[in-house]
Amino acid sequence: MEINIQNKKDKITQFLEKYPDIFTDIEKKYIMSYAIAPSDEKLVPDTVREVYDELGIIPDDSNIYIGFMNLLSEVYNIENKKILEIGGGVLPRLGKRISKKLNAGKIVVYDPRLSHYEQSTDKMRLVREKFNRSSSIEDSDLIIGLMPCEAAEIIIDTAVNNNIDFVLALCEGGFHGDEYDFYESPEEWISSMVRYADQEVEYRGMGELKVKYLEKYGSPYPVIYNDRG
């Protein structure tokens, strides 16, 4: 059961006071606004979700990190995989969870905003950079992203250009309809990403594109991955 609002507020306040420079002042106000407001939402903004998971606030049955990991384990045996996560967040919650499941495998997490309080381990290497098309993929054999939004296309491109399997949970895609974004809605952007991934997977001989959902965990957005059969 989720902790009550006062306990949630106290835990988050203590966390933000202990690590005052992880988030901007605006982000901290945003996080606190969620802490003091009752909500039935399972899917909260990424910064809020990271803090909630760090503090054990999210019940397991509505924790999208757990949901994504369960889906990932259904699709691949990740224990010995060399995984590349793009857009790991300020607090690399997914990377940490995955690293605990690895045997001979390792995970490399890219995000320019990774907290300096977080440290690499023998199973998880943190790269405080924005992943781009010239970034090292080393000997990765699986690329993942949990709602990285603007990094979705580069995940697909990197995977198909290097014949690497991928699992990508899409989001709403950020802002739409302005002069720098010709997509007019989240639905249009999502449809475009799925169609593009489907075409590339087929063209590159990487099997078939499959689509699943994490609706149980509050996400209405598709999770796409290639299945080599």
Side-chain angles (χ1 to χ4, degrees):
M1 180 179 296
E2 189 171 349
I3 63 176
N4 65 44
I5 292 175
Q6 186 58 52
N7 287 344
K8 184 193 300 184
K9 179 183 176 182
D10 291 344
K11 291 185 76 170
I12 294 173
T13 298
Q14 291 169 9
F15 179 80
L16 295 178
E17 288 176 349
K18 184 177 181 180
Y19 305 107
D21 55 349
I22 290 182
F23 300 105
T24 67
D25 289 341
I26 293 176
E27 287 171 331
K28 284 187 277 191
K29 289 179 181 179
Y30 192 56
I31 293 167
M32 288 307 304
S33 72
Y34 268 82
I36 63 178
S39 174
D40 294 328
E41 291 182 83
K42 291 182 179 179
L43 187 65
V44 295
D46 52 358
T47 51
V48 180
R49 182 172 64 244
E50 290 169 16
V51 174
Y52 276 20
D53 191 52
E54 178 78 19
L55 299 177
I57 290 173
I58 311 174
D60 286 357
D61 61 1
S62 58
N63 189 323
I64 198 166
Y65 294 111
I66 294 176
F68 184 83
M69 280 188 55
N70 289 342
L71 188 154
L72 193 61
S73 297
E74 290 173 11
V75 176
Y76 295 105
N77 180 356
I78 65 171
E79 290 184 358
N80 299 318
K81 287 285 187 182
K82 295 171 183 175
I83 302 170
L84 171 62
E85 182 189 4
I86 298 175
V90 179
L91 304 174
R93 296 304 307 160
L94 179 61
K96 278 189 169 182
R97 285 183 173 276
I98 289 175
S99 70
K100 295 176 182 177
K101 299 288 186 179
L102 299 178
N103 185 8
K106 292 185 179 181
I107 182 168
V108 178
V109 182
Y110 269 82
D111 200 300
R113 290 201 59 198
L114 280 163
S115 168
H116 63 273
Y117 294 106
E118 301 286 349
Q119 301 298 320
S120 297
T121 68
D122 60 335
K123 296 294 182 183
M124 179 180 71
R125 183 164 70 86
L126 303 179
V127 182
R128 293 174 173 83
E129 299 174 5
K130 183 175 181 178
F131 188 90
N132 58 55
R133 285 169 172 78
S134 63
S135 297
S136 171
I137 59 172
E138 299 182 350
D139 53 352
S140 304
D141 51 22
L142 179 61
I143 301 177
I144 65 171
L146 175 59
M147 297 193 291
C149 290
E150 66 178 28
E153 188 170 350
I154 196 171
I155 289 175
I156 297 170
D157 284 345
T158 302
V160 299
N161 288 337
N162 294 280
N163 194 32
I164 300 173
D165 295 327
F166 68 93
V167 181
L168 170 61
L170 294 169
C171 66
E172 81 289 346
F175 296 108
H176 299 286
D178 63 23
E179 61 180 316
Y180 301 108
D181 183 353
F182 60 84
Y183 298 107
E184 296 183 355
S185 68
E187 293 76 19
E188 185 180 352
W189 179 82
I190 290 168
S191 177
S192 175
M193 290 297 103
V194 174
R195 185 169 59 252
Y196 173 61
D198 186 38
Q199 292 170 346
E200 288 296 307
V201 165
E202 181 179 5
Y203 175 71
R204 309 285 182 141
M206 293 175 61
E208 179 183 357
L209 189 78
K210 295 292 184 68
V211 180
K212 291 193 175 185
Y213 288 86
L214 295 171
E215 293 173 332
K216 174 184 175 182
Y217 303 92
S219 174
Y221 310 113
V223 180
I224 59 176
Y225 62 96
N226 71 301
D227 181 0
R228 297 181 190 263

